Amino acid sequence: MKTPNAILEPRGELKLDDYIVDIAWSTDTTRLAVAGGEGKVFLAKRSESALEAREVGQHGMGTLAVAWRPGGSAFASSGQDSRITLFDAEGALVAQQRPSMNWTTALAWSPDDQRLATATGKQISLWAPSLVLEHALAPLASTVTALGWDKPGRDLAAAMNGGLVVHRVEPPRFQLRHYKWPAPCLTAAFSPSSRFLATGTQDGTVHFWHLSTGRDSQMRGYPGRVDGMSWSGDSRYLATAADEQIVLWDFGGKGPEGSRPLQLRGHTDRVECLAFQPGGNYLVTGGRDWRLSLWLPGKATTALDAQLTVAEPTCLRWSPDGRFVAAGERNGRLSIYELVRVV
Amino acid sequence: MATIDRIPVTVLTGFLGSGKTTLLNRILSENHGKRIAVIENEFGEVGVDHQLVIGAEEEIFETNNGCICCTVRGDLLRILGQLLKRRDKFDYIIVETTGMADPGPVAQTFFLDDDFKQQFLLDAIVTLVDARHIEKHLDEMKEPGEQVAFADVILLNKTDLVGKAELERIERRVRAINGTARIFRTQNANVPIDRVLDVGAFDLQRALALDGSFLEPQYPFEWAGVYQLAAGQHTLRTGAEAHVHHHHDHHGHAHDKGLGLVVLPVAAATEQALAAAIEPAVRAFAEEAVTVTCGGSLKATPALHAIDVNYEGSHFVVDVAAAGAHAIFCEHAPAEFNLRVEGAKPIVQRAFASHHHDEEISSIGISDPRPLDPQKLNDWLSYLLKSRGADIFRMKGVISLKGEARRYVFHGVHMMFDGQLERPWAAGAARQNTLVFIGRNLDRQELEAGLHSCLA
């Protein structure tokens, strides 16, 4: 069998004046919203020949998240100044909210483009696309650390200390289900198939639930907190990082329980970020070894390609069409790569 | 691969009104060249230019290893994660806790995660103590004692608001709880910045910097003096020279049971004779005390008296059967009570290290020159952490392992533990195991037996 191959072709880079915390692609892949750790919000425009960016906003003490509206023409940002801000596709300020003095740490547009979910302390709020409050859900028991929608945009999962809480969002009803796990949960990720819900914890475990039965399983053995995870497009693999290794749980066949995970080795220092291609099975990872690696788990055990960065990678985001990867670095470098199949 | 300097962190604790904000303002406004990020429980008034102040809402997480004492601060976890994203912008972190905060979860947060251990260096826990109110606080609440117990540095603050004798008593009580912290007496939290920042208390490389007296043999008394006394009755007085009433706010808690006193005939008024009397005195102090009220009499025999001192002045009769040198062993330094024998002065006197106290929280220091077996030590420490982790707030140690040229150094906060082999023992110097435990209801015999079970 011939090993499939692909590489990452550089498609432009620029240096922003801030640590890159988060990146969000526009649906048409021509724009990116970029969050800076010191508080700047940038809008970058990408064309075949150029990549340019300008500062469009500020969040006092640090930007925490950016999220592009799936429907196209707007993006939201939040920061340590407690504000949630809505910009249009040209970077003009459209609306602003300040739900409380707390940080809004998570922003998640529903995939059906109906609403924006935000997590501010223990409070989850749902906003109409114009950033008008649609519904403030009852505060949860602990601070929400992450939000994740299922693919249809019907179920919203929130991670917190003590497990995950899923709201079924069918306004005016907001039905609640608890997935308890006594640990500080850091991520909330539905599989694209909506069959599984996974979380990574501060305690160094991955925990997931079979949504049809409610059965849950715990995957141990991580040396530290698991604060990043990504599902492959076919929902077969859940990728996580354990120091310099990439650990993939195989949900094919009988599932990952009791089996040894797939381990991909190649990074020589802690893997900081990872992301599966949307709708596909290519995986990109970024490590403290200042390297971005491209993998095709299950088909090849070594990296297909690697690109060196000039500082520690902090954020990796695929474009919604799975064609491009944007990488952010600690020193503010933003670089774009195109996934190119090699025959 | 990038090498990263760890960011030092000082945790500031102390009860409401102890002067935390004063100290913080002093640190922030002083020209020390550091860029400091401050994490506060509440948004305070601190707002010095170019300093970063972040508010936190206290949220305690239990971690998932089944031990209730392994709690960390969720709010800190999140904020530290964010701070790492701008680590180029500051050199130092100060975490200011609320007056009622338990320092345990705060300190443990820095040990929870290998990545955090690589990025942050818990430099020291600094506890401010309000000298005027600490005794009341220690008597009535558990948090102040815990804050003292966890500390690496204690500022005994507002010393201008208490008398000298009171201050001695307070320091002794604080010292009884925490035998290893550096104690500074301050007014307006005025202390050189290098005493509270970059202290290196958790730095294994700097090992154990202990108050040497802490590891000296412990005695149940703090002072002894030898007097030349004629046969007959002598008057022992405490308190004021004249019967003047003092309006001091005394909380005589340590002396509810009376001041322990032993009077013994000794061979001569010499240091040697006094040294020879120590052993019988220690044995006498282990006996049940006979309470003597004002005006009562004490016998010059190896018997423990608990004399009922009051600060306005009290007097007792000492019966001396035969003329000669007599040693008086006293539970506390006589200066505190103005204890004196009328018409006589001590010819020889000596102070003793004492950690005799009634505190629930205390420190125990153990030293032993014999080398230990690494496996046995590991088993014992694991057992100790599992069974007593909730009660042991802090522990530190420098260990001599059999066949190992380097010193094994460790420290722990509750069940969080960090240890490593570090620099070799100095050539020619005596190798010695030194362990210190600070915690609640500690049992010295149990700890010593445990250490002895580790002998190679």
Side-chain angles (χ1 to χ4, degrees):
Chain A
M1 191 181 105
K2 200 166 161 240
T3 305
N5 207 353
I7 56 170
L8 294 171
E9 287 269 12
R11 289 285 183 262
E13 63 169 88
L14 52 85
K15 180 91 184 291
L16 301 172
D17 178 28
D18 208 343
Y19 179 116
I20 297 181
V21 173
D22 198 5
I23 304 170
W25 282 89
S26 69
T27 313
D28 66 4
T29 76
T30 63
R31 278 140 220 253
L32 302 102
V34 183
E38 289 220 31
K40 291 173 182 161
V41 180
F42 302 94
L43 176 64
K45 293 189 181 177
R46 188 196 65 81
S47 68
E48 291 302 320
S49 57
L51 178 66
E52 53 191 26
R54 66 188 176 86
E55 187 183 329
V56 295
Q58 272 276 359
H59 279 287
M61 300 170 55
T63 312
L64 295 164
V66 283
W68 206 288
R69 192 180 161 191
S73 57
F75 70 92
S77 65
S78 68
Q80 292 182 27
D81 59 358
S82 319
R83 283 175 215 285
I84 301 169
T85 311
L86 186 70
F87 296 93
D88 71 14
E90 293 303 321
L93 182 82
V94 176
Q96 194 158 224
Q97 294 282 358
R98 193 176 197 185
S100 80
M101 283 290 286
N102 266 320
W103 296 357
T104 295
T105 46
L107 298 173
W109 289 93
S110 65
D112 62 5
D113 202 37
Q114 293 300 300
R115 53 188 61 87
L116 173 69
T118 63
T120 308
K122 297 169 184 174
Q123 174 72 55
I124 299 174
S125 303
L126 299 172
W127 309 85
S130 57
L131 205 60
V132 169
L133 186 66
E134 179 184 64
H135 195 80
L137 299 172
L140 298 178
S142 179
T143 299
V144 177
T145 48
L147 290 174
W149 287 95
D150 69 348
K151 206 170 177 182
R154 194 169 65 146
D155 285 342
L156 174 66
M160 60 177 198
N161 182 37
L164 302 186
V165 172
V166 174
H167 285 89
R168 175 144 295 184
V169 180
E170 288 170 327
R173 296 185 63 228
F174 302 93
Q175 205 187 329
L176 208 67
R177 270 168 299 155
H178 289 272
Y179 295 87
K180 289 187 181 165
W181 180 244
C185 296
L186 303 175
T187 66
F190 282 102
S191 66
S193 64
S194 300
R195 287 179 56 209
F196 304 101
L197 176 60
T199 186
T201 74
Q202 184 69 46
D203 297 5
T205 60
V206 166
H207 205 86
F208 66 84
W209 288 265
H210 296 257
L211 292 171
S212 56
T213 61
R215 186 161 63 89
D216 62 331
S217 288
Q218 189 195 178
M219 303 299 176
R220 302 167 185 272
Y222 291 85
R225 67 180 187 274
V226 181
D227 54 5
M229 54 173 45
S230 181
W231 286 93
S232 62
D234 61 5
S235 298
R236 173 151 181 192
Y237 294 110
L238 176 67
T240 58
D243 274 351
E244 73 282 357
Q245 283 180 41
I246 300 150
V247 175
L248 295 120
W249 299 100
D250 187 350
F251 284 72
K254 288 183 181 165
E257 289 98 336
S259 71
R260 286 186 66 80
L262 217 59
Q263 283 161 289
L264 302 179
R265 293 184 176 89
H267 283 286
T268 56
D269 201 348
R270 188 183 145 91
V271 174
E272 286 287 328
C273 38
L274 47 80
F276 261 115
Q277 183 188 31
N281 293 313
Y282 286 96
L283 174 73
V284 287
T285 56
R288 272 189 202 165
D289 54 2
W290 295 14
R291 193 182 345 209
L292 304 178
S293 296
L294 177 72
W295 315 81
L296 190 56
K299 303 283 193 223
T301 53
T302 54
L304 305 180
D305 191 17
Q307 293 283 335
L308 294 183
T309 60
V310 299
E312 190 180 304
T314 55
C315 179
L316 285 173
R317 297 282 184 257
W318 287 87
S319 61
D321 61 1
R323 189 176 153 202
F324 299 101
V325 176
E329 297 172 31
R330 172 179 289 282
N331 65 348
R333 181 170 175 259
L334 173 72
S335 50
I336 309 287
Y337 304 88
E338 185 175 357
L339 179 77
V340 178
R341 298 215 166 86
V342 180
V343 183
Chain B
M1 186 173 122
T3 42
I4 304 164
D5 288 329
R6 296 203 286 171
I7 306 167
V9 181
T10 293
V11 175
L12 219 53
T13 78
F15 218 62
L16 207 65
S18 58
K20 287 194 306 278
T21 305
T22 308
L23 177 63
L24 189 57
N25 280 323
R26 184 183 294 283
I27 292 171
L28 293 182
S29 54
E30 202 148 301
N31 185 19
H32 42 59
K34 291 185 202 303
R35 296 167 302 166
I36 298 175
V38 180
I39 301 173
E40 282 196 310
N41 271 119
E42 302 109 336
F43 287 99
E45 317 82 83
V46 181
V48 180
D49 286 347
H50 71 264
Q51 308 283 2
L52 178 64
V53 182
I54 299 163
E57 189 188 355
E58 183 166 339
E59 194 170 344
I60 293 185
F61 288 178
E62 283 170 25
T63 63
N64 192 30
N65 51 18
C67 172
I68 53 150
C69 68
C70 271
T71 49
V72 300
R73 286 278 296 267
D75 51 338
L76 258 189
L77 279 175
R78 288 188 294 272
I79 289 170
L80 293 172
Q82 292 299 331
L83 278 178
L84 283 178
K85 295 177 178 171
R86 12 186 353 195
R87 57 167 298 152
D88 306 340
K89 304 298 171 200
F90 56 89
D91 324 296
Y92 210 99
I93 297 173
I94 296 177
V95 181
E96 185 193 2
T97 66
T98 57
M100 293 297 282
D102 176 358
V106 177
Q108 291 190 116
T109 304
F110 295 93
F111 290 84
L112 178 65
D113 184 296
D114 278 342
D115 188 40
F116 273 21
K117 279 194 210 169
Q118 279 173 35
Q119 307 267 3
F120 299 107
L121 172 71
L122 184 53
D123 180 66
I125 299 172
V126 176
T127 296
L128 279 106
V129 168
D130 174 354
R132 191 156 65 152
H133 295 112
I134 185 65
E135 292 183 297
K136 191 170 179 330
H137 289 161
L138 286 172
D139 289 339
E140 291 172 0
M141 285 169 284
K142 72 177 175 59
E143 290 84 1
E146 290 175 353
Q147 291 170 355
V148 167
F150 270 102
D152 299 292
V153 176
I154 295 170
L155 302 193
L156 203 50
N157 196 30
K158 304 195 174 178
T159 54
D160 47 329
L161 301 181
V162 295
K164 189 167 181 292
E166 203 178 343
L167 192 58
E168 291 292 331
R169 187 177 70 232
I170 291 163
E171 179 162 337
R172 196 164 49 239
R173 189 163 179 197
V174 166
R175 176 55 81 202
I177 295 171
N178 188 326
T180 66
R182 287 177 181 276
I183 300 178
F184 299 101
R185 295 180 178 186
T186 59
Q187 297 175 13
N188 294 318
N190 196 352
V191 67
I193 297 299
D194 62 2
R195 303 292 183 213
V196 289
L197 298 188
D198 279 328
V199 171
F202 277 83
D203 188 346
L204 290 177
Q205 301 297 327
R206 290 196 218 175
L208 216 53
L210 277 186
D211 173 0
S213 69
F214 182 65
L215 289 164
E216 283 174 7
Q218 309 288 300
Y219 299 96
F221 37 79
E222 289 184 343
W223 181 87
V226 182
Y227 298 78
Q228 200 70 46
L229 299 177
Q233 295 197 329
H234 297 266
T235 305
L236 183 86
R237 285 196 184 276
T238 67
E241 297 291 342
H243 284 254
V244 177
H245 193 79
H246 286 254
H247 288 275
H248 279 292
D249 177 21
H250 292 296
H251 309 282
H253 51 86
H255 313 296
D256 290 346
K257 295 193 286 283
L259 176 69
L261 208 72
V262 167
V263 184
L264 284 175
V266 292
T270 61
E271 287 184 16
Q272 290 83 346
L274 173 58
I278 290 174
E279 213 204 316
V282 168
R283 272 189 269 115
F285 265 86
E287 301 294 320
E288 189 84 14
V290 177
T291 302
V292 182
T293 52
C294 188
S297 66
L298 297 95
K299 296 197 170 36
T301 55
L304 180 62
H305 305 90
I307 62 170
D308 190 11
V309 297
N310 69 61
Y311 291 88
E312 286 76 45
S314 40
H315 57 94
F316 306 89
V317 175
V318 179
D319 279 319
V320 172
H326 286 76
I328 297 180
F329 287 85
C330 184
E331 184 185 351
H332 295 303
E336 187 183 334
F337 306 93
N338 195 16
L339 180 105
R340 61 209 186 269
V341 178
E342 249 178 27
K345 290 251 179 283
I347 298 160
V348 176
Q349 51 183 323
R350 180 168 160 188
F352 296 89
S354 166
H355 297 289
H356 177 69
H357 52 74
D358 308 318
E359 301 294 339
E360 189 190 18
I361 303 173
S362 65
S363 301
I364 289 179
I366 303 175
S367 60
D368 193 308
R370 295 170 288 180
L372 303 185
D373 177 81
Q375 187 57 49
K376 287 177 184 170
L377 176 70
N378 190 44
D379 292 349
W380 176 55
L381 288 176
S382 304
Y383 165 78
L384 204 57
L385 291 171
K386 263 190 223 126
S387 61
R388 300 295 310 275
D391 284 340
I392 298 175
F393 300 160
R394 296 286 299 270
M395 62 179 189
K396 303 178 180 188
V398 179
I399 300 292
S400 162
L401 292 176
K402 191 180 175 65
E404 173 58 61
R406 290 166 293 172
R407 313 169 346 143
Y408 178 73
V409 181
F410 70 84
H411 61 67
V413 176
H414 280 320
M415 283 182 68
M416 306 286 184
F417 182 88
D418 197 6
Q420 68 186 43
L421 285 167
E422 69 74 87
R423 66 187 159 83
W425 293 93
R431 293 168 60 134
Q432 167 118 320
N433 298 299
T434 306
L435 294 90
V436 178
F437 300 89
I438 303 175
R440 183 171 273 132
N441 303 324
L442 297 181
D443 181 341
R444 170 178 283 276
Q445 276 159 6
E446 181 194 325
L447 292 170
E448 282 178 345
L451 183 70
H452 293 154
S453 74
C454 303
L455 293 174

